Amino acid sequence: MKFKKVLLGLAVVACTASAQAATTLETIKEKGYLQCGVSQGLPGFSNPDDKGNWTGLDVDYCRALAAAIFGDAEKVRFTPLSAKERFTALSSGEIDVLSRNTTWSMTRDTQLGLNFVGVTYYDGQGMMVPKSLGATSAKELDGAKICVNTGTTTELNITDYFKTHNMGFELVAFEKSDEVIAAYGAGRCDVYTTDRSGVAAERLKLANPDDHMVLPEIISKEPLGPVVRQGDDQWFNIGRWVYYALLNAEEFGITSANVDEMANSENPEIKRFLGKDDSKFGEGIGLGNDWAYNIVKLVGNYGEIYDRNVGPDTPLKLERGVNALWTEGGIQYAPPVR
Amino acid sequence: MQEDTVRQQSIINKLLYNSTWRGWLFQALVLLGLLGFFSWIIYNTVSNLQRLDKKSGFDFLSQRAGFEILDSPGVRLMDYAPGVSTYLDVFWVGAINTITVAILGIIAATLLGFLIGVMRLSRNRIFSAVATVYVEIFRNIPLLLQLFFWYFFALRAVPELRERWSLFGGLGGINKSGLYLPAPVFEQGFGYVALAFVLGVAGCWLYARFATARQFATGRRPPTLPVYLLLLIGIPLVVFLVQGSPLSWELPVFKEDGPILRRGYQADAGMVLKPEFIGLWLALSLYTASFIAEIVRAGILAVPHGQTEASQALGLSGGMAQRLIIIPQALRVIVPPLTSQFLNLTKNSSLAVAIAYPDIVSVFAGTALNQIGQEIEMIFMMMMLYLILSLLTSLFMNWFNARIRLVER
Ligand SMILES: N[C@@H](CCC(=O)N[C@@H](CS)C(=O)NCC(=O)O)C(=O)O
């Protein structure tokens, strides 16, 4: 009996050993869905609605990825992760891609065995205080008690900022952002701080959002973007070009509404992009040649995604600002498909 | 030729059908399999780490840590300062915080658990009803929910950061930033007082042995209480006075004016219990106490009623019967399961990060791990810490258990 078990064990081991060698794309295709790491609920970026459907900018990136791979934007499953758990979940293989308002920093890019594919949202760290505090600038915060998330760039930046300005402070660090904002709401802290987009989102969770204001200072650069494991160049390329496809589509003026019309366009760039000539860009990265068509058709272009999740007409009310295309005065810029 | 095959067959037969041989054979195979399995895991891990281009080893421990940690016993003891302290210091800060809340939680849970357990057996209906309700509530609600309840309940209940409730005639106070108390400041010469007290404890132990010996010899126990009081309080007090009262108190400072953020309790004066600590400590103690209460109740019920009757027949008073007959026997039943409750409490303290208490999981597996990214090494260190804490607890409880064991003749 025991002996049989050992043999069985060895067989299992041998099988997993060979499975290890498969590429990320192959494994995903075999599974039939993409496993995408998101936040535990950050409106505008990744947030489950009351029916359990995920929405948000980070979520739509994963849907675009699924559309490119499967031609079906629904073939994706979401794993909610706290800031503290996210990198371990990615490097252990629990998820295929991490799309969770994650800041691209040198440590994360070079020390953790991970690669950032691009910047889907340029952000910076902001601070929120109760209006009753009477503060108008972050420089007046000497002695403040500050609530943050553990395992974020936020908790590091804040230490730097207060040190630079020679101010004292107390840092109260929670694992989950629901508790961070609840503790701030309960009066434990004078300041709530995270990425500005996050501040805008979390502020809506307060009992009286209008009693709180965001200070003008932006104390850091927070380029947020999707992350993949290092060492699989094909998967990295797919991740990166799906993001570029979203930008290029917007630049060409291709939207989910007009993509079929555009597919008949005589413009050679657009034809190439949508896979309507005989160039094989999709196959080059292991996908079908209609990869970009599927992304735009099923999910939309970057501008559409932005507007429906975080733009001025959403509760978050975030202007495009630096996240506009380079042609519109922003810094979102994608290399050409050619 | 023929003989050879027969011999070979008999060896195989021996291996397969002789139970001793077969046992050895299978054990060797299992061992081989295990070795193979572990070397495969290690090989796989190392090559995966290489493929991801990840660092390994413990060099990171001497790197400096750039983040702030909430004021806590670990931060004070290690003199932790961002930008100066190393990741090894961060480990110790977390470890000390975990150990502190575990020890204080074990003490509180044990005292409360014994109280509730005895109350449940009380003949007073109200007492036993209260105890029953307590046990059923605290045992049946998940600890994490209790943690949030106590933390946010406490936060909502007390005054804002720049207001306070005074306690002990203004010597202490409480608000959303914590419970502030006077901090003892030990001055030169206090060491002698401590020494006198330690000697006093040793003296008490010797005197107790002497008293027991006398009791066996003469049937009468010499007075003990006055001697104990003299040794434990009297003599240390005299030393304290002779040394010129080498103990003073640092009072918390509450500022009512100045810039608004600088008002309220000042960070560097007095002793403070942060809401995060209080919430965790309270939740762990109350939760574990409900289990301990049941263990105590079961322990006492396990002592046959005949024992009580027998001690009455011998003329022991109710209190003496409890102290000399019932409790020592009940303890033998209570101590082993009590040990596992202590271990549970220690491990449950890892929920701390949910309410921002900087325990080992929060600072080391949270903040530090996100900086360094060496999961294997860091989780290993943390596992070792919990393992050592658990082993020490078990060791101590086993020793205690051996002491109170029934000595059979
Ligand atoms: N961009 C920062 C902060 C990311 C972060 O965790 N932010 C919090 C606060 S906005 C969050 O995402 N909370 C949502 C959640 O935990 O589910 C980083 O990458 O370290």
Side-chain angles (χ1 to χ4, degrees), chain B residues 28-100:
Chain B
L29 283 175
V30 169
L31 188 70
L32 219 69
L34 273 179
L35 279 178
F37 180 69
F38 281 112
S39 36
W40 173 77
I41 285 201
I42 291 170
Y43 166 78
N44 212 20
T45 309
V46 170
S47 55
N48 274 340
L49 286 180
Q50 265 166 4
R51 192 168 47 83
L52 289 172
D53 202 10
K54 271 177 89 144
K55 276 204 271 180
S56 52
F58 288 90
D59 289 348
F60 69 88
L61 288 175
S62 53
Q63 226 167 298
R64 290 185 197 292
F67 48 87
E68 181 67 313
I69 302 179
L70 183 69
D71 188 8
S72 50
V75 167
R76 298 243 170 155
L77 276 175
M78 297 301 296
D79 252 327
Y80 178 85
V84 183
S85 302
T86 61
Y87 279 95
L88 185 62
D89 296 329
V90 172
F91 178 82
W92 286 119
V93 168
I96 292 170
N97 286 342
T98 293
I99 295 171
T100 312

Side-chain angles (χ1 to χ4, degrees), chain A residues 3 84 87 91 107 111-113 140 142 151 155-156 159 163 170 173-175 179 186-188 190 230, chain B residues 29 52-55 68 70 82 148 151 161-162 176 261-262 274 276 353-354 356 367 370-371 373 375:
Chain A
F3 184 62
K84 169 174 164 280
F87 299 118
S91 42
T107 316
Q111 314 265 305
L112 305 190
E140 299 162 13
D142 183 24
E155 67 177 333
L156 306 172
T159 309
K163 237 185 181 176
E170 174 175 292
F174 297 81
E175 172 164 15
E179 275 79 65
R188 174 68 180 93
D190 303 302
Q230 193 164 315
Chain B
L29 283 175
L52 289 172
D53 202 10
K54 271 177 89 144
K55 276 204 271 180
E68 181 67 313
L70 183 69
F148 287 142
Y151 181 61
L161 292 172
R162 268 101 219 162
K176 287 193 202 300
L261 283 162
R262 278 291 176 197
K274 290 281 163 193
E276 292 71 30
V353 62
T367 311
N370 261 271
Q371 281 307 293
E375 294 91 356

Side-chain angles (χ1 to χ4, degrees), chain B residues 29-356:
Chain B
L29 283 175
V30 169
L31 188 70
L32 219 69
L34 273 179
L35 279 178
F37 180 69
F38 281 112
S39 36
W40 173 77
I41 285 201
I42 291 170
Y43 166 78
N44 212 20
T45 309
V46 170
S47 55
N48 274 340
L49 286 180
Q50 265 166 4
R51 192 168 47 83
L52 289 172
D53 202 10
K54 271 177 89 144
K55 276 204 271 180
S56 52
F58 288 90
D59 289 348
F60 69 88
L61 288 175
S62 53
Q63 226 167 298
R64 290 185 197 292
F67 48 87
E68 181 67 313
I69 302 179
L70 183 69
D71 188 8
S72 50
V75 167
R76 298 243 170 155
L77 276 175
M78 297 301 296
D79 252 327
Y80 178 85
V84 183
S85 302
T86 61
Y87 279 95
L88 185 62
D89 296 329
V90 172
F91 178 82
W92 286 119
V93 168
I96 292 170
N97 286 342
T98 293
I99 295 171
T100 312
V101 79
I103 292 181
L104 294 179
I106 285 176
I107 293 175
T110 310
L111 293 178
L112 188 64
F114 269 78
L115 183 74
I116 304 277
V118 171
M119 262 171 74
R120 258 199 106 166
L121 293 173
S122 162
R123 252 167 276 152
N124 182 322
R125 283 276 183 79
I126 300 181
F127 274 8
S128 67
V130 167
T132 309
V133 170
Y134 177 94
V135 168
E136 291 309 332
I137 288 183
F138 283 92
R139 193 168 64 158
N140 290 318
I141 298 178
L143 178 57
L144 189 61
L145 290 185
Q146 297 193 30
L147 204 55
F148 287 142
F149 175 79
W150 290 114
Y151 181 61
F152 286 107
F153 173 78
L155 273 189
R156 294 273 176 195
V158 299
E160 300 294 323
L161 292 172
R162 268 101 219 162
E163 290 154 24
R164 65 170 154 172
W165 284 335
S166 276
L167 299 173
F168 318 116
L171 292 180
I174 190 168
N175 71 14
K176 287 193 202 300
S177 69
L179 170 64
Y180 290 81
L181 298 168
V185 182
F186 304 109
E187 284 152 20
Q188 214 191 343
F190 194 82
Y192 292 108
V193 184
L195 186 67
F197 181 77
V198 171
L199 290 178
V201 172
C204 285
W205 183 71
L206 285 176
Y207 186 75
R209 291 188 56 146
F210 161 77
T212 312
R214 287 287 295 189
Q215 191 177 4
F216 278 143
T218 66
R220 188 157 270 148
R221 194 172 174 82
T224 47
L225 192 65
V227 180
Y228 290 166
L229 286 180
L230 180 73
L231 285 172
L232 290 180
I233 299 178
I235 297 180
L237 192 69
V238 172
V239 176
F240 181 75
L241 293 177
V242 168
Q243 287 292 327
S245 309
L247 172 71
S248 58
W249 297 91
E250 185 193 76
L251 297 183
V253 176
F254 187 88
K255 262 171 64 175
E256 310 247 13
D257 45 18
I260 181 163
L261 283 162
R262 278 291 176 197
R263 289 182 213 160
Y265 280 107
Q266 303 300 299
D268 41 15
M271 188 171 89
V272 56
L273 302 181
K274 290 281 163 193
E276 292 71 30
F277 170 79
I278 298 176
L280 180 65
W281 179 60
L282 214 59
L284 285 175
S285 312
L286 295 177
Y287 177 75
T288 313
S290 66
F291 291 92
I292 294 183
E294 285 298 275
I295 292 172
V296 168
R297 184 172 75 117
I300 293 178
L301 287 180
V303 181
H305 192 60
Q307 298 277 335
T308 318
E309 287 163 354
S311 41
Q312 274 166 359
L314 283 175
L316 292 179
S317 72
M320 272 178 111
Q322 284 290 330
R323 200 157 50 84
L324 296 175
I325 309 292
I326 310 297
I327 298 211
Q329 296 187 75
L331 270 185
R332 290 190 199 113
V333 182
I334 292 173
V335 167
L338 198 58
T339 311
S340 44
Q341 288 306 324
F342 290 176
L343 299 180
N344 280 348
L345 188 142
T346 309
K347 287 179 280 181
N348 283 340
S349 74
S350 61
L351 288 175
V353 62
I355 58 163

Side-chain angles (χ1 to χ4, degrees), chain A residues 224-255:
Chain A
L224 311 180
V227 200
V228 295
R229 276 182 297 280
Q230 193 164 315
D232 183 342
D233 289 350
Q234 183 197 40
W235 183 235
F236 174 75
N237 281 338
I238 294 174
R240 191 182 173 90
W241 281 93
V242 164
Y243 159 58
Y244 289 153
L246 294 170
L247 292 181
N248 279 322
E250 185 180 9
E251 201 176 326
F252 289 137
I254 313 175
T255 65

Side-chain angles (χ1 to χ4, degrees), chain A residues 39-42 81-83 86 100-103 108 149 151-154 175-177 192 194-195 198-199 202 222 224:
Chain A
S39 82
Q40 290 160 321
L42 183 66
L81 296 166
S82 74
R86 58 186 153 172
R100 186 202 176 283
N101 52 306
T102 295
T103 302
R108 291 174 178 179
N149 265 80
T152 56
T153 46
T154 317
E175 172 164 15
K176 298 198 173 152
S177 44
Y192 172 83
T194 183
D195 310 335
V199 172
E202 297 289 337
E222 306 289 329
L224 311 180

